[in-house]
Amino acid sequence: MEYMSDTIFISGKKKRTSSVSDIFDKMAKGIKKKGPTKDWICELDEDNNVILINFNDEKSETFILRFGDKNEFSSICKLYWPIDETAGSSECEILKTLLDLIYRAKSKFNSISVTDDYGLAEGYWESKKYKFEFRNLTDEEVKRIERLYNKGFTKHEDLLRAIMAEDMEMDYADIKGYENPEVALGWESVGSINNTLITYIYETSAYGNEGDVSSLMLKFFGDPNKYMMALMAFSDGVGWAFCDGTRDDFEARKDPESAREITIRKHRHVSPTDAQIDMMFTDMFAPQFINEKDPLKRCILAYRYFVSAYDFCGFKFSKHHKRQFFSDKIIEEYGEKIGKQYMTVRVTRRWYDHKLSQDDELFRRNVEKRYGSDFFSLYDDIEEKYGKYIRFNQETEYYAIGSKKYLDKTLTY
């Protein structure tokens, strides 16, 4: 059997607060009694600050990781792996597995550099920090992009909206600014692409194998959890790609003009999920997008970014789950006059609750004066029937502090 040799060079510096035994423990846990490490032996020479890995393949050199007085290390090791004589190729499994072991201890290093004779190690090491794939589009996805592009959606923001509109069974003209009040964010976010993206997930997608997002609402819209982290990471991350004035994030609020172009910059993030998407944006999507001048290819890059973030966050397309809003249901059942009166009082009452001080008697007198003394009896009946639904309370909250639909502040003074 023929073998291929490769020399690996590893250098860097461990953290002052990390001991050599800490690094050894991390690496040794990756050595299993089956698979590529089944014959490997990892040893610690604590007195001399040395970690040794013997590959037991009778050809490769022992890997020696020796730490100096200033926590620095530098190691050179020649590795061998067999060549597949039939296919005429080699599989550098020993190199990748060794790098996997060292990567397990990455949090213990201040810095580390990895190279080898063929440039294999550096690329593999770099890939270890990504937990996602900036994936290529399928043939069907490319055809979809080309079809919509030929319809006139030549800006990447417009094309992404056109895709969401199709999935949500809407006309393109209706999707800009569309947001489902059951899930949309309030305050500054009203009308933003972020709310459209959240609505898209809510109305069309499942989360892994756990079910449709719309049926998992109580899990998604509770305290911080994996569901909310996924939803916010997708909304924020894909939102960064929109430079048409509809993006809602810290940079866009602070300096709207700076958000008019895609630039390579780090974004604020609050979870490992959106930190990973930030790396996808800054390392993969933005550099390619900026260098690409062809508008069709830019659209393809933008959709690659969209689906890569979508997949990484754990979403799967299900079907369109459009619900009738509770406000529309009430207006349909009780008539436009009574329905809108009820919604006006309910939303204004909720907005009034957010004020630091309020006069309940004043509010009640104003409502009675406006709608008559019998109104409260009807209001209580509708409230008993619909007020128990969490989705309706979320819808009311959105109208009260977000879109201000149905809000009538004159009832409060």
Side-chain angles (χ1 to χ4, degrees):
M1 178 180 292
E2 293 189 22
Y3 285 83
M4 174 179 177
S5 68
D6 187 15
T7 304
I8 184 171
F9 305 85
I10 298 178
S11 61
K13 194 172 184 177
K14 76 174 182 66
K15 292 180 178 177
R16 181 178 56 81
T17 54
S18 299
S19 68
V20 177
S21 61
D22 289 338
I23 296 172
F24 170 79
D25 290 341
K26 287 277 189 181
M27 293 173 60
K29 286 180 180 177
I31 294 184
K32 310 297 182 184
K33 297 197 178 293
K34 60 181 180 178
T37 63
K38 63 183 177 63
D39 296 321
W40 292 19
I41 297 174
C42 188
E43 297 178 314
L44 170 65
D45 181 352
E46 200 161 6
D47 292 337
N48 295 304
N49 291 327
V50 174
I51 297 172
L52 303 99
I53 298 178
N54 188 332
F55 304 106
N56 281 325
D57 61 4
E58 298 182 354
K59 293 191 72 67
S60 298
E61 297 175 349
T62 298
F63 177 74
I64 302 173
L65 197 58
R66 178 180 285 107
F67 297 88
D69 294 338
K70 295 182 179 180
N71 301 315
E72 77 283 1
F73 58 91
S74 180
S75 180
I76 301 174
C77 181
K78 182 168 286 189
L79 306 175
Y80 288 84
W81 55 81
I83 296 175
D84 186 330
E85 297 174 2
T86 303
S89 62
S90 60
E91 175 54 57
C92 52
E93 188 173 40
I94 185 173
L95 172 64
K96 293 180 179 179
T97 307
L98 175 61
L99 293 178
D100 289 343
L101 291 186
I102 299 170
Y103 194 80
R104 294 174 67 92
K106 67 184 185 304
S107 62
K108 304 298 180 182
F109 300 121
N110 272 328
S111 63
I112 186 167
S113 172
V114 179
T115 60
D116 73 315
D117 291 338
Y118 303 104
L120 302 173
E122 189 172 11
Y124 185 70
W125 181 264
E126 184 69 12
S127 72
K128 293 291 292 177
K129 71 179 182 180
Y130 300 112
K131 296 180 172 58
F132 55 82
E133 177 188 8
F134 186 50
R135 74 168 176 84
N136 291 316
L137 302 181
T138 64
D139 291 342
E140 291 75 16
E141 288 168 337
V142 171
K143 289 177 182 177
R144 188 182 193 188
I145 294 292
E146 292 173 343
R147 172 174 57 81
L148 291 171
Y149 183 89
N150 291 332
K151 282 188 174 182
F153 300 110
T154 56
K155 291 183 178 180
H156 74 277
E157 297 101 332
D158 295 338
L159 191 136
L160 292 179
R161 282 196 183 88
I163 286 174
M164 289 190 285
E166 280 192 344
D167 289 343
M168 296 166 73
E169 303 172 305
M170 297 175 64
D171 292 332
Y172 176 82
D174 296 328
I175 195 172
K176 193 165 187 177
Y178 172 71
E179 45 200 49
N180 189 314
E182 294 178 0
V183 294
L185 305 174
W187 294 288
E188 298 96 332
S189 299
V190 171
S192 69
I193 186 60
N194 304 71
N195 271 346
T196 302
L197 291 164
I198 289 173
T199 296
Y200 174 77
I201 295 294
Y202 181 65
E203 293 192 4
T204 68
S205 303
Y207 182 76
N209 297 319
E210 297 189 39
D212 293 322
V213 172
S214 57
S215 67
L216 295 169
M217 182 177 177
L218 289 179
K219 292 184 178 181
F220 269 90
F221 297 93
D223 294 329
N225 51 49
K226 66 177 182 178
Y227 306 99
M228 281 300 292
M229 293 302 102
L231 187 62
M232 293 300 102
F234 177 79
S235 169
D236 289 345
V238 175
W240 297 330
F242 282 78
C243 302
D244 56 358
T246 61
R247 193 175 86 211
D248 175 48
D249 62 12
F250 179 79
E251 289 89 355
R253 293 181 194 176
K254 186 178 179 181
D255 183 7
E257 288 306 311
S258 71
R260 289 291 180 176
E261 292 183 5
I262 288 178
T263 57
I264 301 173
R265 65 168 179 264
K266 294 291 184 182
H267 301 89
R268 286 191 170 190
H269 38 75
V270 297
S271 75
T273 306
D274 51 337
Q276 281 283 318
I277 293 177
D278 190 9
M279 285 198 296
M280 184 197 300
F281 184 95
T282 57
D283 294 353
M284 299 181 184
F285 168 64
Q288 294 185 55
F289 187 92
I290 292 168
N291 291 329
E292 182 57 68
K293 304 307 177 186
D294 182 272
L296 174 59
K297 291 180 180 178
R298 278 191 160 192
C299 287
I300 290 174
L301 280 170
Y303 193 46
R304 284 182 62 195
Y305 178 64
F306 182 101
V307 296
S308 296
Y310 186 85
D311 293 348
F312 176 64
C313 288
F315 297 117
K316 297 179 181 179
F317 184 78
S318 176
K319 62 179 181 179
H320 187 220
H321 301 275
K322 180 65 170 70
R323 284 187 168 86
Q324 184 181 29
F325 299 149
F326 278 93
S327 54
D328 295 335
K329 188 181 297 186
I330 290 168
I331 290 171
E332 182 180 283
E333 181 175 349
Y334 292 90
E336 187 169 356
K337 179 181 177 182
I338 297 300
K340 288 187 174 180
Q341 287 178 353
Y342 168 79
M343 287 302 303
T344 299
V345 173
R346 193 178 210 272
V347 169
T348 306
R349 172 75 267 180
R350 189 71 193 98
W351 173 83
Y352 203 36
D353 287 343
H354 282 281
K355 298 181 67 176
L356 295 177
S357 62
Q358 57 234 355
D359 186 338
D360 290 338
E361 282 301 316
L362 173 64
F363 181 79
R364 188 177 181 87
R365 286 197 304 271
N366 287 342
V367 172
E368 187 173 352
K369 183 178 180 181
R370 182 81 56 85
Y371 301 130
S373 58
D374 294 335
F375 172 80
F376 284 106
S377 176
L378 185 57
Y379 179 93
D380 290 341
D381 289 344
I382 301 175
E383 187 68 17
E384 183 178 359
K385 184 172 183 178
Y386 289 103
K388 59 188 175 182
Y389 293 105
I390 292 175
R391 285 188 171 88
F392 185 35
N393 290 318
Q394 174 66 22
E395 184 178 337
T396 301
E397 185 82 3
Y398 169 77
Y399 293 143
I401 62 173
S403 73
K404 305 298 192 291
K405 184 179 181 180
Y406 301 113
L407 180 64
D408 184 355
K409 294 182 181 179
T410 64
L411 291 172
T412 66
Y413 53 78

